[in-house]
Amino acid sequence: MRHTTTDDEKILRSVLDGWKDAVDQHQPDQVAAHFTQDAVFQGLHPYTVGRPGIAAYYDAQPLGLTAHYRILETRRPADSLILGYLSVDFSFTDRPTLTVNLGILLQQMDHGWAIAHYQVSHLE
């Protein structure tokens, strides 16, 4: 049973489309700008907290990396929070596509929505 609402998906897409564009264009600082200042970030390496660590993570990614996501579920635990569960395909120029599961928590800020928590799971 899906608990996804159209409004929550629209908000999630507005943030994720900007994240995806910055990932696809290898713009690490722009990627990090989609996160809160104190975001907890868990990619496929040890976790980091805050935008500088997020920018460094994406700066270390290979040129040509692209992301394609599908929203699987959303939840609204509070008025100012949206939980998203996604499948993301990260494509590379020199190796097979990596499919991961991504859990994110968006937080409503004064300037709009931003990612406060990002956690990747790679299930084989």
Side-chain angles (χ1 to χ4, degrees):
M1 180 172 155
R2 289 178 61 121
H3 293 282
T4 301
T5 70
T6 303
D7 290 343
D8 290 348
E9 271 198 32
K10 184 177 177 183
I11 293 166
L12 203 53
R13 285 186 193 287
S14 71
V15 174
L16 288 170
D17 286 349
W19 165 82
K20 176 199 173 347
D21 289 344
V23 168
D24 292 356
Q25 295 174 35
H26 195 76
Q27 298 176 325
D29 290 331
Q30 284 302 108
V31 174
H34 294 283
F35 290 78
T36 62
Q37 292 287 348
D38 62 348
V40 176
F41 179 90
Q42 175 67 63
L44 293 175
H45 302 287
Y47 86 97
T48 189
V49 176
R51 288 180 181 167
I54 295 165
Y57 179 89
Y58 282 102
D59 191 40
Q61 298 306 311
L63 292 175
L65 173 73
T66 60
H68 175 76
Y69 69 87
R70 286 187 347 262
I71 297 171
L72 303 174
E73 296 284 339
T74 65
R75 299 286 190 278
R76 183 69 83 121
D79 288 342
S80 62
L81 298 172
I82 298 174
L83 178 67
Y85 185 65
L86 307 97
S87 176
V88 182
D89 293 329
F90 287 105
S91 297
F92 303 86
T93 59
D94 62 346
R95 59 183 171 201
T97 297
L98 176 65
T99 301
V100 299
N101 296 313
L102 173 62
I104 65 169
L105 183 67
L106 296 187
Q107 182 176 357
Q108 190 171 27
M109 310 296 287
D110 291 339
H111 63 279
W113 292 87
I115 303 167
H117 184 265
Y118 176 109
Q119 180 149 3
V120 166
S121 298
H122 181 225
L123 304 176
E124 296 181 14

